[in-house]
Amino acid sequence: MTSIDRRRALRTGAGAAVVGALAAGCAGTGPAPASPPPADAPSTAVPGRPFASQGSRPRVAPAARRFAKQPTEITHGPRDRDQVALTFHGNGDPATARAVLAEVERARARITVLAVGSWLDEYPELARRILDGGHDLGNHTQRHLSITEMPESEAYAEITACARRLRTLTGSIGSWFRPSRTQHTTPLITRLAGRAGYPHVLSYDLDSLDATSPGAAAVTRTVAGQIQRGSVVSLHFGYADTVAALPALLDDLDRRGLRAVTTTELLS
């Protein structure tokens, strides 16, 4: 069986089960949160699948309910499955973003994009492009500033402005929030993210360092040298080195028997 055949079998088997489970969860009534969020908090849903009534009381996304027993900050997935999550900061040249999406889809891989709201303001068509490719789409604040250095009201506005943009474009605020210009969250940012509708903050355990433009070979070496089962890898749109590194990186994952999946699938 070729690597492409193996990936196709995995996508139509386990992958289909995950999609079915998410769809079933979205259709169900599920438990509401213990207390209602504030009036300005957006409703939540599985990416690309808005709730039937946007005027009804918001519920926690089905994916978030599934992860309720996990730590508030998620840095990696299970270490006993042959899966990893490649997560991309959604910002920068849209042509580079499209090149990344084309390359991962060529390899039958799926990724998670944490989009900057101002980037979506400028290139709104990319939100649907990401979801139509079978990828996760989440929130990486509105302006990509140092959110941990902001006063509470400004930090909350950064989260909710991007959430509103995502909901306008896709019907959902997305399943994941990642704070800007920091690897790890703080108690304040975690609380504000929860108030906005994100029960978990998505971090990572492997930084590719692609944003330093070290060259494609260096990006591949960094990831290949540290990745393990369950890893959540930080990568970026907008850098030519990242696009150039992807073929060798994805081939390396294939040789190791590791499958690049969305964060939602990784943690399912």
Side-chain angles (χ1 to χ4, degrees):
M1 178 182 288
T2 67
S3 61
I4 291 177
D5 291 333
R6 183 168 65 257
R7 287 196 183 102
R8 183 179 295 116
L10 287 168
R11 290 293 303 162
T12 56
V18 170
V19 171
L22 288 174
C26 189
T29 56
S35 59
D40 61 347
S43 61
T44 58
V46 173
R49 298 185 178 93
F51 286 122
S53 174
Q54 292 293 341
S56 60
R57 176 180 166 190
R59 295 177 181 152
V60 175
R65 288 201 300 269
R66 183 177 294 111
F67 311 141
K69 294 183 180 179
Q70 296 195 18
T72 300
E73 180 179 80
I74 295 174
T75 58
H76 63 81
R79 299 297 194 191
D80 60 350
R81 294 197 303 237
D82 295 327
Q83 296 177 335
V84 297
L86 305 181
T87 68
F88 286 78
H89 300 238
N91 205 2
D93 181 3
T96 309
R98 293 187 184 97
V100 168
L101 293 168
E103 189 59 44
V104 298
E105 288 164 11
R106 178 198 64 79
R108 306 292 195 273
R110 295 295 178 264
I111 63 175
T112 298
V113 180
L114 291 311
V116 176
S118 60
W119 184 70
L120 292 176
D121 289 340
E122 193 169 0
Y123 309 109
E125 71 282 359
L126 286 175
R128 181 50 54 190
R129 169 66 183 87
I130 291 164
L131 291 177
D132 286 348
H135 312 291
D136 273 357
L137 178 62
N139 181 329
H140 196 36
T141 75
Q142 179 63 22
R143 296 176 294 166
H144 201 256
L145 303 177
S146 296
I147 194 169
T148 57
E149 299 176 6
M150 295 177 182
E152 179 174 343
S153 59
E154 186 178 355
Y156 186 60
E158 280 292 307
I159 300 170
T160 55
C162 185
R164 283 193 298 270
R165 190 58 175 151
L166 284 165
R167 186 172 63 174
T168 297
L169 292 172
T170 71
S172 167
I173 66 169
S175 294
W176 306 105
F177 167 72
R178 174 173 287 168
S180 49
R181 297 192 181 275
T182 179
Q183 179 175 357
H184 297 292
T185 188
T186 66
L188 173 61
I189 299 305
T190 298
R191 178 166 58 82
L192 297 179
R195 189 197 305 173
Y198 301 97
H200 304 284
V201 176
L202 180 62
S203 182
Y204 47 90
D205 64 332
L206 201 172
D207 188 349
S208 69
L209 301 177
D210 62 340
T212 65
S213 297
V219 173
T220 302
R221 282 196 306 270
T222 298
V223 177
Q226 300 179 49
I227 201 165
Q228 56 182 309
R229 287 175 167 181
S231 281
V232 176
V233 185
S234 171
L235 294 145
H236 293 76
F237 284 171
Y239 291 87
D241 288 350
T242 308
V243 179
L246 279 172
L249 174 56
L250 292 167
D251 284 346
D252 180 74
L253 295 180
D254 184 56
R255 284 193 299 271
R256 298 183 188 206
L258 295 174
R259 190 161 58 104
V261 298
T262 65
T263 303
T264 298
E265 185 173 354
L266 179 72
L267 296 171
S268 293

